[in-house]
Amino acid sequence: MTKIIDTNQLWQSVLTELELQVSRANFLTWLKNSRLIKKDDDGKVIIGLVNNFAKEWVENKYHKMILEAFHSLDETIKKIDYIVLEGEKKSFEIKTEKKENIATRQTSLPEFKIDPETNLHPRYIFDSFVVGSSNELAYAATSAIVKNVGKKYNPLFIYGGTGLGKTHLIQAAGNEIKSFYKNKIKVKYVPSEKFVNDVVWAIRNKRMDDIKEKYRKVDVLIIDDIQFVGGKERSEEEFFHTFNVLYENNKQIIISSDRPPAAIPTLEERLRSRFEGGMIADITYPDYEMRLAIIKTKLQEKEANLNNEICGLVANKVQRNIREIEGILNKIIFYQEIKKIELTNKIVEEIIDNIIQQSSKNITHNQVIKAVSDFYEITPNELFNRSRKKGIVEPRQITAFLLRDLLDMSYSDIGEKLGKRDHTTAIYAYEKISHEINKNQNLNQKIIMIKEIINKN
Ligand code: ADP
Ligand code: MG
């Protein structure tokens, strides 16, 4: 074996080897700008990596591979240490420290988790909800309920396209009621599929009374995405009864849907006319001013800064989905803060186009599953099976998140696709990732990369 003297050359040879073994996206992110810092006579090498994420990732996933590659080139190498490259490290650590403080401060307060009693997420409040012409009526109706629970608009039916703020608004009502009445009024939020599944479970186990009892104790029932209810006859029947029981007991019901009651084909007539007997308000697309206001609000929440020109650019280009605006901001912030790329208009436009393109593409669930498994270098089967191995939980949750985020798939379908899991697992996974992504750059980065893999295929 010939000994390679030049350490730089040695590392390049190792990289060439690694490039063959890890996926392209992973290689580019974690390994590309790495360096061999030092090689001791006693067989130790020190590898410098671009940031903490890279260090953690490479140590956990590629160490063995790297050691073997070294060994095949230079038998004397026995030990590898990984460090974060200076310069990168400094500014990066200041940032993460700041971020981490915020994160721990937030999570240490109990109100920053989903409340198991109500299922409400404390992040959704009226204060962070921007009101404009597109959601004025929906906002007015929802906020009027707070002081007139069960009396004024019942049921209240809010509808509008994906990512326009329905969940935010109806959960904000729940949170406001909760704090206004100091918990004396019981609120419960359920995605409609959870409600239906509770009902189906009860029918199967002859426990309908339990369900009625459970929901009867609630004063305000918030049912999200009701369009998923229709079709399953027996459960719809029971749903209607439960609904009626609540309604007749003057319980407040708040419903959201992606379309008006008349446009849900599978909805039973009786249910539809009940909904139409209450208050119906829609949310439409926000105008430019409102989009800009939303961008500013989101940046404040994320404690990030972007100049006015970039904000304007985003507001201009993303017109139909506020969730998409958030996704774009997350990506821009990531480029700015972590990759330290100077943001030109051109780069920002590319980021936006990329995300918009993605949402108009017909992505299949198989593409999502394949991208996640490629990224984590596991097999699709490992995603589906029952293993609770630490390394598998995250990819599985990310898959659930992406299936919902990119394909708008129902929770039951997501559960089904992920190895016949319960829909609540899918709900939990989606909720967890969608909240975490806003405060965890590491996770944000992984999701951005996985989306890039999906985009390329
Ligand atoms: P939907 O339930 O209609 O699909 P969401 O309520 O989940 O939409 O909203 C998607 C994202 O956009 C959320 O992060 C939410 O906070 C944000 N959002 C939507 N509308 C507004 C608004 N008017 N002001 C502030 N944020 C908003
Ligand atoms: Mg929603």
Side-chain angles (χ1 to χ4, degrees), residues 391-438:
I392 302 293
V393 174
E394 181 177 280
R396 199 179 283 143
Q397 288 179 342
I398 288 181
T399 309
F401 169 79
L402 289 172
L403 289 175
R404 182 86 177 176
D405 190 48
L406 299 173
L407 277 67
D408 245 335
M409 207 183 245
S410 79
Y411 289 121
S412 332
D413 287 349
I414 294 172
E416 185 70 17
K417 289 278 176 291
L418 286 178
K420 302 212 183 312
R421 286 188 155 70
D422 189 64
H423 69 286
T424 45
T425 316
I427 294 172
Y428 176 80
Y430 176 79
E431 290 287 331
K432 176 158 186 277
I433 301 290
S434 65
H435 294 301
E436 192 111 327
I437 197 173
N438 287 311

Side-chain angles (χ1 to χ4, degrees), residues 123 128-130 135 161-168 294 298 322-323 326:
R123 170 174 169 262
S128 61
F129 190 77
V130 177
N135 60 14
T162 321
L164 291 180
K166 301 181 297 291
T167 298
H168 189 142
I294 290 170
K298 297 293 168 193
I322 297 166
R323 187 175 302 128
E326 283 215 283

